[in-house]
Every structure is written in structure tokens, then in C-alpha cells.
Amino acid sequence: GWKRGSSFLPGIDVTDTKLSTSAFLLLHQARAERFFRSDHTNNWAVLVCTSRFWFNYRHVANTLSVYRSVKRLGIPDSHIVLMLADDMACNHRNPKPATVFSHKNMELNVYGDDVEVDYRGYEVTVENFLRVLTGRLPPSTPRSKRLLSDDHSNILIYLTGHGGNGFLKFQDSEEISNVELADAFEQMWQKRRYNELLFIIDTCQGASMYERFYSPNLMALASSQVGEDSLSHQPDLAIGVHLMDRYTFYLLEFLEDIHPASQANMNDLFKVCPKSQCVSTPGHRTDLFQRDPGSVLITDFFGSVRKVEITMETINLTPHTETALAYVDQLPVAQIIHQKPKQKDWHPPDGFILGLWTLILLVFFRTYGIKHLKHIF
Amino acid sequence: MTARHPRTPAPLLVIGQRFLTQLLIGQRPRRTGSLWPSFHSRWPRWKWVSFLFILPRRRRSPRPQSGMKVRPVLSDPEKQRGRSAAVAIAALVIAAGIPLWWKTTETYRAWLPAARISELEALQLELRVEVEVVFARGTLSPEQQKKVPASRMREQTYESCCKSKSLCLVEADHALHTLTETSCGSVVIYIIPEASALLPQDMRVYVGRSRTALLRSQVASVVGAGLPEVLAALDPQMEQVLQTMSFNHQDVTAALTDRLRPGLSTRDSLADSMRAFKSSPGYEITFSLLNPDPKHHQLHWDVEAALDAYIYPLLHKMAPVANFSVDSQILYYAVLGVNPRYDASASAYTLSADSLAHVINPVEARLGSNAASSNPVLNFLLYVPDSLHSPLIIRNDQKQEVASNAFHSPRWGGIMVYNVDGAYGNDTQFPVDIAIDMSRVMGVFLSQLRLMLGFQQTGAPPGFVLEAAGREGVAEWELDRLLWSRSVENVATASASITSLAQLLDQIANIVINDNIAQQVASAVTALQAAVAELEAGNLALALEHSREAISASERAFFDPSLLHLLYFPDDQKFAIYIPLFLPMCVPILLSLLKIFREVQQHRAEKRAKRD
């Protein structure tokens, strides 16, 4: 066996070490078992709303609702990159300023008090989105605007807005194509910036956006197939716009039942919003994903359940006792006997001494007269 | 008549033509009782005359009938001139225009060393460890001693006055360490005779705090006295020692996990690789004291002195690996997100192993981080439970108490629960001043820090004794182990980055490659090759330095903000851009060329007909 901690005592602990080794190995194995249910150690989320203007209220409400769920299930703000145009809450046309509701009758204000938007307004561009994904940000970008994931991170990417066959419109002025998105994911894979990635898109013809993916460990869900439109859920007559999209509404209903220790898996997520409720046909793609979707928990992507290990050993730091000087550390006798005294450097006399001598001299010359000065100089 | 705009359209002036006669002649046709007002314009007469030239003039020749095309009749020299003009324009467009268009729409791509980069794809790493084997007196028989060529014969008698057996081995190790100067990455193995009393009966190998190992072996009984036979006899044991002290197959595959197919590494090494941080140029370490109950506990922790005494020595030793920045903070009213259960049998509140996973998330929102750097952050939290929930103990899966009362999360950090209920009685005046015993706390944090930084807790093979590092934090051979795996990891990551960057730049022909990117790539490739050479030569420290250079240059090149490939143009967009520009220009040229060609052909046909 092997020992840590205090000094070594031979001959005594042989049997103990044998036991401790086997116990240690068993523990190690148990630990290893728990680790390997999934390969990730941290979770990230990139939530993007690609529309602006008042009549796209529902897209902002979609994104904020997913943001709320993800925070509730444990992912901290430092691990969420939220990109919103953020022009709803303080819009002149909002009858209830500083709020964004996700359900009619204004039941749930998803804007809340502690929403942390990382990219707002005109910063939500295709370029910034791709920069966040690939990590090619200028060096002055603060930490909160970066996706600092590593090879054991599970990332959730949620996009919502107006889309078409093979593209997604960003803020009414530019678009991102499915080829660019697939290339960006490949770049992420090359640098191992994710362990597994879940891509959810709630736009018209959303399934076209995941057609071109070719990197491993990607799972994708879309709210509608190619040629279908994704419809909105319900208008609120007081606010005057549609509050949410159908797919995200039913997705949220599903997520409300999930808590951090829940065991629901991805097959349940695929069943969210069937055609009868959603009018469009939601689709999903799992061929690039290595694990079986039935073994992937919802909290693997939407929550942040940490792997934890008990610290079994500590280092014994005895406070401030010097180790007894071993024989070999002491000076050899020859050096001790023949030690020469250390040469001290000569310093000129101190101020006090100088003053004292000046006083003595002054008294002398005062007493005996100044003519004795000539004997000195 | 009011003044009119001079550019009044022609029809209106046609109507008012009668007034022109007045202008020209200078008199107006007077009529009594004229309804028309007099014409006083502010312009002189001659300006009005010039309008005659704007007016449409009648044609001299009669207008041709519609349906009859009038072709201008050109003479032969004019035709020839026309032809040569068309040919000249076409030649100019082709010779000068197309190259100019190509050059001006070209993206600037600095030269990359493609040949050396493709060499990197098939990189073969050779790791060489320098081993010095020292035979103590009594291990070799006399004939062996004569025949074994010794590079150094040292007559050194070491007289030790061992006060107790316990310190003997440590002293011996320390003394032997002072004998030889070991460089980073090398190992010295001392062979001591079988009958030596230095090691206890069951232990064959002792590995000290520095890079020395004591191996007990009987070599004198080996048949054949030459050096190769002696070393062959020792080989299996020495290999075991080296695998413990330097690197073994699992370590290397763990360092290369993302580049390998899954399934090649063992689960233990995979767990180790998940726990430790990946190689990064710097790390930030934050020590936080969480005090949920400031009304009752007033905590004092001398964290600066504790860091100086216990943590900084380890971090200084790790300076060749990465930069560290350490800070500390105290958080008040920070609670764990989990309610502990009261256990009457232990009369304490307990946290079970399952609930520990949910402790970290609510706390993490309150911990700050340094916004300036993107380095990975390690958090070490010291939680002092509030007086209502004291004492708080952590239970493991088997419902047993954990001695350290601490747990850690891979790639995040550790949390220790420090109970202070023993420091005061029931009727003391609150708040109580409590000084935290930093040596106990730092002992736990130090061991967690070692795990996070990559010093694995692999078990030693049977018969081995590994000396604990103690106050120094890490033994030199442990550091060497880390340096080996880090060098390999850095080399692998850097070469993967460079090759994938080269592939990306090849695939997308539109990306601009600036000079600084090319420079970074070139320096990364040079540093990589130097690192591989140093690893082959066995100079671990230099190899690590070069590999760090390589990885930082390759990361800077790969993540350069200018390499954004927002340049996917579908084909229809390309047509839509170029057709309105080039079609109006090219069609006349092409048609005139065609016409010339047809005329020439006709001409030739006529000539041939004439000849015939």
C-alpha cells in the first residue's frame, strides 16, 4: 500500500495499508461509476432572440421564458449568454412598462428583476453570434459576453425569430444560413468547445436549419418542418400582440414540471407539442448524437447538476513547528571552530556622537581659548 | 405676360410663337383694346433669341416611313475602323480588365508554412527519461563490479546516527538528494542490497520527495556479470518505478483524451482527466469565506498569512506550468441552497452525498469573478454554518462521517464546512469572535487544489512506498509527472489547432489571412518542433517551455477575431451581384466580336467562291 500524511512507521501498518488500499480502490470505482453517466462537468446556455420591433413581442417572451427555466434549474448567469433586442419592456407601446408577459392575463412576468442581457439592441448580429460560438472575440470583450466552455461542457442553444428555408433572419437586416451555422459548430468541435450540444429552434421552417449539421454530438429540435410555418399561441387583448409561440409555450409547460433532480429524458422532450397542439410538426435530429436519447436527462442540458466528490484525504500541515534538525543538516565541526568573525563595514559616526564631540570641543576651546586651535590644524 | 421659366417646354412656346415676332422685330402687333398685356421680361432680347435653338426644328429631309429601316451606309475604311475598335476593346477587356478584376477582388492571404503543418498531422512523440542507476556497496558481486563500467565511482560513506527508525528513510533520502544534481524530468534510482535494513521487509521500493528512488534488489545473484545482463535483470522493477515516477501509458492517453477515440483510456484516467483543468496559460484561484450568520459569529481568518505559508510555495513550484492569480473574499448572509437534516443519533445536522450536488449552484451566483481575464477559475469556499444548524457534517454514500468535512466538484473547486459550535457555550454574548484554524482549512484546500491542478491520486503498485509531500505541497517527481502530461497535452492541442486552422483556411478561400496570423502560425510550428525535439532529448523543462509557447501562439492564431468566415455566398447571390455590372458591358463586346467573326467567315467564303 501507500501512505500519506504523517511520518512513516515501518513494520506496524502493513495489514492496515492493505485494507486501506482495497477500500480505496472500491471507493474509486464507485466514484468512477457516478461520473460516467454523462461526460459533462458544466453547463452553458446561449439564448438568442433574433427579432426586434413591437410586433415580435412573442420572440422576446419565448427567449426570456427559456432563460427563466434554465436559471431555475441551476445554470448561473455567468454561464448564460443572452442575446435580445430588449426593446419590449421599455417600448412606448407597452401598456405595462418594464414587464414582458408570457401568458395572457399577465400571469407571469418573465422580465423580472434580475435578467442579465449580455448582447442587447443592435449588438445582436450574425457576426456577434458567430463570434460567441467560435470564440473569436476581440480581447477586450468582458467575461460575461464570452462562451468560455471547455471539452466537458454541455451547451444549450436556443434560437427564435423569423426564418425561412435554410436561413434565419437577424433583426430584419441580415440573415444566417444553415451552412454557416453548421460550419460554426464544426469550428467548435475542432477546438473541443463542447461535449454535447442541444440545438432548439422555434421559427418557421425551422427544420431546415439543422439539415446541414455534420459535427458529432449534436442533437437538434425544431418547431416546424420545411414548408411549414410555426404559429403563435395566443394574443393578449390588453397588450395587443401575440405573447408566445406555440412550440415554446408547450415546451415551457413541460419544463415547469422538471426540477433539478428529475429523471425525465429526451424522448419526453421530443413528444412536446404534437401536431394537434402545435399545428406545425416539430422535428428532431439525433443521428449525430452518440448516446441514446433515452439515456440523456433533460437536466443534462437545461440544468446544471454538478458532479461532486467527497474529499477523502487532507494534508497534515502542522502549524509552524520546525522539523527537528537532522544530523546531516548541521554545520560540520571544522566550519564551526574555524569561523572567522564577520567583517563589519565601517560607517561614519552617527549624529549623536558627532554632536557630543562637537560639544566637548566647544567647551574645551571656550575654556582654554581659541589659540589652542592652531595645535590641531 | 408674366415672366416664364426659360426652360419652358417647347409646346408652350409654340403656342406663344406669335410673341416672338415682337421680340425679333421689336414691335408687337398692336391691337386696340388688346386683351394681352405687354411683354416686359427681365431678360434681354438676345437671350430669348437663343431659345430658337432649343425649339424643335423641322426636319430637312422628309421623315421616313415607319417599317422601313434605315441603315447608315458606311464606307469600307469606316467599317475597318469599327472592326478594329471592337477588337481592340475586347482585347483590352480580356488582357487588362479580367486580371484587374481578379486582382482587386482577391483577398489578402499571407503565406502559411503548409508543408510543415502537414508534417504535424503525423506527429510522433518520443518521450525520453534520463535515469541514473547507482549501485550501493554490497549489491554487486566483485566480478560484476569489475566488469560493470562505472561512469562515476564515488566513495562516499554515509554515517548516520538514526535516532529512531522512523526518520531514517527520510534522512537517507535527503542525504542522497544532496549527492546528485537532478535535472527536471530525470530519475535517480539507488539499488540497495537485499539485506539492507533501511526498507522494511515488505517494501521493495521507496520513492522520496525529490527525484530519487530506493530499490531493493539482489543483483549479485544474476548469472552473467556484464552490464547488459545486470540491467536486464533490473529492468522490470525499474520500469515499474519509472511508470510511477514519470509517466505511464494511462497518463499519456489521458493527456490525449480528446484526440483519441473514446474507449482507449481507462475509466479511472478519464475520471482524472475530467477532474483536472485542461492546460491553460493561467488560472484564477478565489478563496471565499461564507458567513451566513454574522449576528452570532464574527469570524476572523488570516487568509493572507495562510496563503503565504501553505499555498504560495505550491504555486511558485508550478510557475513553469501556468500563471496563478489568487484572491479572497468574505460573503455575508450566503446560505447553502440545501436544507440539512437533523440526525438525532449524531446530534448534528447532516448533508448527504446526493444533496451536495445542488449546493453549488445557488452559491455560485453570489461569487464574483475577475471580469478582465478569461482564465479558468477555481473556487474554494469555507462555509461556517449558522448557529441554528451547527454542527453540520457531511456524510458519504455509506452514511459515514467524512473526516475532512469537505467535498469538491471537478473543474470547479471545493467547499469545506467548518463547525464552530465547540468554541462557545450557550450563554455567551453574541456575536462571538472566532478565529479560524487556517492550517486545518488549508490542509483540505491544498489537497483539493492538488487534485484540481492535475496531481492524480493514482494508487502505487504493491510493494511501493511513496513519501508524502507534506508542507511543500508537491514532491518533485509528482511535479515532473504533471510536466510530462502537460507537455504532451500542450503539444497535442497545439498541433490539432494548427492543423484544423490550416484546414479551415484552405476550405474557405475567401478568408483574409493577415500577416500577424501567419506569423503566429509560423512561430507555433517552430515552437512545436522544438518541443518535440526537447522531449526526445529528455529535457523536460525546455520541452514544457516550448510547448507553452506553441500552445499560446496557436490559440492566438486560431481565435484571432479577424478570421470570421461570414463569407458564405450562395451561387445565386454571386450571379445577382455580377450580372448587372458585367452583362451590359460584355454583351455589346461579344455581339460585335460575333459580328466581326461572321463577316470574316463570309468574306472567306466569298473569296473561296471567287477563287473557285
Side-chain angles (χ1 to χ4, degrees):
Chain A
W2 65 297
K3 300 182 72 78
R4 286 204 168 276
S6 50
S7 53
F8 171 77
L9 288 166
I12 292 179
D13 303 1
V14 174
T15 41
D16 282 3
T17 56
K18 280 210 189 112
L19 277 175
S20 66
T21 318
S22 53
F24 177 75
L25 281 173
L26 270 178
L27 216 81
H28 209 63
Q29 198 140 34
R31 222 179 288 157
E33 292 292 334
R34 201 156 15 152
F35 259 37
F36 291 100
R37 201 195 42 75
S38 78
D39 270 352
H40 71 283
T41 59
N42 52 22
N43 285 82
W44 285 81
V46 179
L47 311 174
V48 184
C49 164
T50 61
S51 319
R52 62 185 300 117
F53 307 129
W54 175 246
F55 48 85
N56 291 321
Y57 187 101
R58 58 190 186 282
H59 298 140
V60 172
N62 286 350
T63 318
L64 283 173
S65 317
V66 175
Y67 171 75
R68 291 250 148 246
S69 310
V70 147
K71 258 176 82 160
R72 180 179 60 83
L73 290 172
I75 303 186
D77 270 317
S78 53
H79 284 226
I80 303 179
V81 177
L82 181 61
M83 302 174 76
L84 291 179
D86 205 14
D87 56 349
M88 297 303 154
C90 299
N91 198 306
H92 301 298
R93 295 160 77 168
N94 192 350
K96 300 273 177 192
T99 59
V100 173
F101 290 105
S102 70
H103 195 273
K104 70 177 181 198
N105 306 328
M106 299 186 206
E107 278 170 16
L108 180 60
N109 173 20
V110 289
Y111 201 63
D113 291 331
D114 59 346
V115 66
E116 202 178 281
V117 182
D118 299 305
Y119 287 85
R120 63 157 37 91
Y122 289 107
E123 289 174 348
V124 182
T125 57
V126 174
E127 182 186 335
N128 281 346
F129 177 55
L130 289 179
R131 281 193 194 282
V132 163
L133 286 184
T134 54
R136 295 202 171 100
L137 289 158
S140 57
T141 317
R143 226 186 150 95
S144 57
K145 282 188 163 182
R146 287 181 188 260
L147 179 64
L148 294 169
S149 55
D150 55 30
D151 59 327
H152 286 295
S153 303
N154 276 7
I155 307 184
L156 165 73
I157 298 188
Y158 177 82
L159 293 174
T160 182
H162 290 290
N165 189 357
F167 66 92
L168 174 59
K169 190 169 71 158
F170 263 70
Q171 302 225 337
D172 239 358
S173 64
E174 50 184 2
E175 56 191 41
I176 183 172
S177 64
N178 48 6
V179 177
E180 281 174 340
L181 197 56
D183 283 339
F185 287 155
E186 176 63 16
Q187 297 269 297
M188 289 173 79
W189 175 251
Q190 289 286 326
K191 281 306 282 179
R192 299 296 186 271
R193 277 166 70 77
Y194 67 90
N195 175 40
E196 288 168 349
L197 200 142
L198 177 63
F199 176 77
I200 303 184
I201 183 162
D202 187 356
T203 63
C204 305
Q205 309 194 50
S208 64
M209 288 304 284
Y210 60 65
E211 274 173 358
R212 301 289 195 110
F213 289 171
Y214 55 96
S215 315
N217 286 352
L218 292 178
M219 190 179 336
L221 280 109
S223 62
S224 53
Q225 301 291 334
V226 174
E228 286 181 350
D229 284 337
S230 218
L231 301 179
S232 57
H233 185 59
Q234 42 177 229
D236 181 305
L237 297 177
I239 297 180
V241 284
H242 286 260
L243 291 184
M244 272 196 94
D245 278 332
R246 284 178 189 244
Y247 182 75
T248 312
F249 184 82
Y250 290 109
L251 177 71
L252 259 134
E253 247 185 26
F254 172 76
L255 285 177
E256 287 293 314
D257 291 332
I258 308 285
H259 53 92
S262 133
Q263 298 289 312
N265 58 34
M266 281 294 159
N267 284 333
D268 303 326
L269 191 62
F270 295 154
K271 294 194 205 114
V272 162
C273 203
K275 198 171 161 93
S276 53
Q277 280 174 332
C278 249
V279 185
S280 58
T281 321
H284 56 91
R285 179 177 179 180
T286 53
D287 57 321
L288 294 166
F289 203 73
Q290 278 174 9
R291 289 194 288 155
D292 171 42
S295 68
V296 180
L297 296 184
I298 301 284
T299 49
D300 280 352
F301 288 103
F302 284 91
S304 171
V305 182
R306 302 269 183 181
K307 291 184 175 31
V308 159
E309 286 181 314
I310 309 268
T311 307
M312 292 310 295
E313 64 214 32
T314 66
I315 296 181
N316 193 355
L317 299 169
T318 50
H320 298 299
T321 52
E322 298 291 312
T323 50
L325 262 186
Y327 183 77
V328 77
D329 286 336
Q330 295 168 0
L331 281 177
V333 174
Q335 210 171 337
I336 295 173
I337 292 176
H338 296 297
Q339 234 175 8
K340 292 203 176 60
K342 249 180 32 181
Q343 290 277 344
K344 271 205 170 146
D345 296 315
W346 181 84
H347 295 287
D350 211 357
F352 173 70
I353 307 291
L354 264 178
L356 195 62
W357 277 107
T358 315
L359 191 64
I360 292 171
L361 281 174
L362 269 175
V363 166
F364 171 80
F365 286 116
R366 189 98 170 82
T367 330
Y368 295 106
I370 204 79
K371 60 182 190 298
H372 288 276
L373 206 54
K374 67 171 190 290
H375 294 292
I376 301 175
F377 295 107
Chain B
M1 185 168 121
T2 50
R4 255 179 240 233
H5 191 275
R7 293 254 179 236
T8 323
L12 287 175
L13 274 177
V14 165
I15 295 169
Q17 229 166 21
R18 55 187 304 187
F19 297 102
L20 282 178
T21 52
Q22 184 208 334
L23 289 172
L24 293 173
I25 303 170
Q27 285 177 358
R28 60 189 164 103
R30 286 203 186 269
R31 227 186 260 177
T32 49
S34 156
L35 296 168
W36 299 101
S38 61
F39 179 73
H40 293 295
S41 78
R42 49 191 177 135
W43 284 9
R45 218 163 281 166
W46 61 269
K47 266 202 186 166
W48 286 102
V49 172
S50 64
F51 290 147
L52 280 172
F53 296 99
I54 309 171
L55 290 173
R57 290 202 252 142
R58 270 191 265 161
R59 289 175 175 275
R60 288 194 192 178
S61 54
R63 191 186 284 276
Q65 303 281 335
S66 58
M68 198 173 89
K69 278 201 188 146
V70 174
R71 269 221 184 90
V73 179
L74 294 175
S75 57
D76 261 339
E78 284 181 355
K79 262 198 216 163
Q80 193 54 40
R81 222 186 304 143
R83 261 187 239 132
S84 46
V87 169
I89 289 174
L92 194 70
V93 163
I94 293 173
I98 288 183
L100 197 68
W101 164 70
W102 190 257
K103 204 75 179 96
T104 47
T105 52
E106 206 182 49
T107 46
Y108 178 73
R109 291 171 77 94
W111 178 82
L112 290 178
R116 290 161 78 193
I117 293 175
S118 53
E119 268 174 45
L120 285 178
E121 282 186 40
L123 195 60
Q124 297 236 349
L125 274 183
E126 193 185 300
L127 304 173
R128 183 175 295 199
V129 182
E130 220 181 273
V131 181
E132 191 178 328
V133 181
V134 179
F135 292 97
R137 188 177 302 168
T139 39
L140 293 172
S141 62
E143 320 111 36
Q144 280 171 339
Q145 217 166 13
K146 273 184 231 145
K147 289 208 179 163
V148 167
S151 53
R152 264 189 291 179
M153 278 292 284
R154 248 182 279 139
E155 284 288 332
Q156 185 102 18
T157 43
Y158 170 64
E159 300 270 339
S160 76
C161 164
C162 294
K163 296 187 207 72
S164 68
K165 274 210 153 199
S166 56
L167 287 176
C168 229
L169 214 44
V170 179
E171 273 185 29
D173 175 56
H174 191 73
L176 292 171
H177 171 60
T178 52
L179 281 180
T180 48
E181 192 56 54
T182 49
S183 66
C184 187
S186 60
V187 173
V188 183
I189 304 183
Y190 288 92
I191 315 285
I192 55 179
E194 192 79 38
S196 159
L198 208 53
L199 285 175
Q201 282 302 98
D202 271 22
M203 307 298 161
R204 275 184 305 111
V205 179
Y206 169 79
V207 178
R209 278 187 201 172
S210 55
R211 301 179 181 103
T212 54
L214 297 178
L215 175 62
R216 191 225 305 271
S217 142
Q218 188 58 272
V219 175
S221 60
V222 167
V223 174
L227 181 61
E229 285 91 1
V230 167
L231 286 179
L234 287 173
D235 216 22
Q237 296 162 22
M238 283 212 300
E239 203 178 301
Q240 244 189 348
V241 171
L242 284 176
Q243 283 189 349
T244 316
M245 286 180 75
S246 291
F247 53 85
N248 54 18
H249 185 66
Q250 270 96 31
D251 289 343
V252 175
T253 44
L256 299 170
T257 45
D258 17 308
R259 306 293 152 202
L260 295 176
R261 291 191 310 278
L264 273 183
S265 42
T266 63
R267 299 180 72 152
D268 280 345
S269 63
L270 202 54
D272 280 334
S273 83
M274 275 170 69
R275 189 183 303 121
F277 277 91
K278 289 209 81 65
S279 168
S280 157
Y283 298 94
E284 281 177 39
I285 308 180
T286 306
F287 290 90
S288 313
L289 172 64
L290 298 166
N291 186 0
D293 201 4
K295 280 198 273 257
H296 293 114
H297 302 141
Q298 199 159 35
L299 300 170
H300 303 281
W301 71 335
D302 191 8
V303 64
E304 284 198 34
L307 286 177
D308 276 330
Y310 304 122
I311 306 284
Y312 283 148
L314 171 62
L315 297 184
H316 285 316
K317 280 200 188 159
M318 299 267 305
V321 180
N323 299 326
F324 290 92
S325 100
V326 182
D327 45 37
S328 65
Q329 61 179 344
I330 304 182
L331 288 174
Y332 293 105
Y333 294 106
V335 291
L336 298 179
V338 183
N339 281 328
R341 286 219 189 105
Y342 185 70
D343 188 5
S345 58
S347 66
Y349 289 86
T350 60
L351 277 178
S352 68
D354 304 319
S355 55
L356 291 176
H358 307 291
V359 165
I360 296 179
N361 285 325
V363 176
E364 187 168 6
R366 305 269 323 264
L367 301 171
S369 71
N370 189 355
S373 81
S374 346
N375 290 331
V377 178
L378 286 97
N379 291 301
F380 293 101
L381 272 59
L382 181 63
Y383 180 74
V384 176
D386 47 332
S387 55
L388 291 170
H389 291 115
S390 277
L392 181 62
I393 54 181
I394 297 179
R395 289 241 169 98
N396 59 12
D397 288 323
Q398 284 85 29
K399 302 280 181 270
Q400 290 159 354
E401 241 184 70
V402 173
S404 61
N405 219 18
F407 62 98
H408 57 269
S409 175
R411 296 206 179 178
W412 184 81
I415 301 185
M416 176 179 178
V417 178
Y418 187 90
N419 291 312
V420 295
D421 56 318
Y424 55 88
N426 264 340
D427 42 343
T428 42
Q429 199 187 26
F430 290 120
V432 184
D433 276 322
I434 300 171
I436 295 183
D437 177 18
M438 292 309 291
S439 61
R440 207 181 103 204
V441 169
M442 283 298 166
V444 173
F445 282 163
L446 194 58
S447 70
Q448 287 176 341
L449 180 62
R450 280 170 50 104
L451 285 175
M452 297 288 142
L453 289 176
F455 297 104
Q456 298 119 344
Q457 34 174 194
T458 46
F464 273 60
V465 174
L466 302 175
E467 179 67 32
R471 281 184 68 113
E472 291 156 11
V474 64
E476 286 181 28
W477 59 270
E478 283 181 317
L479 188 59
D480 281 355
R481 255 188 106 128
L482 182 70
L483 295 188
W484 282 113
S485 64
R486 280 273 191 256
S487 313
V488 169
E489 196 188 321
N490 285 351
V491 165
T493 314
S495 66
S497 300
I498 298 277
T499 45
S500 75
L501 180 64
Q503 212 182 6
L504 167 75
L505 295 175
D506 262 342
Q507 267 177 355
I508 303 182
N510 287 332
I511 280 192
V512 176
I513 306 179
N514 288 325
D515 280 330
N516 66 331
I517 298 175
Q519 198 201 3
Q520 296 286 349
V521 170
S523 68
V525 172
T526 318
L528 259 179
Q529 285 171 340
V532 171
E534 298 287 357
L535 278 177
E536 273 181 24
N539 306 328
L540 185 55
L542 282 174
L544 183 74
E545 210 183 288
H546 285 300
S547 70
R548 269 186 84 184
E549 247 181 66
I551 202 177
S552 76
S554 67
E555 297 281 301
R556 238 177 291 143
F558 193 94
F559 287 116
D560 192 271
S562 71
L563 286 180
L564 200 61
H565 57 294
L566 271 185
L567 300 162
Y568 170 69
F569 296 122
D571 285 332
D572 46 347
Q573 285 191 17
K574 277 191 207 146
F575 281 131
I577 290 171
Y578 279 130
I579 282 178
L581 291 173
F582 288 144
L583 205 64
M585 180 186 75
C586 284
V587 167
I589 295 176
L590 280 172
L591 284 180
S592 55
L593 280 179
L594 269 175
K595 194 174 113 169
I596 291 169
F597 183 63
R598 243 184 271 127
E599 280 180 8
V600 163
Q601 260 194 332
Q602 216 180 20
H603 191 67
R604 272 209 203 127
E606 277 173 13
K607 250 198 188 167
R608 223 174 290 135
K610 249 196 237 168
R611 231 183 288 138
D612 300 339

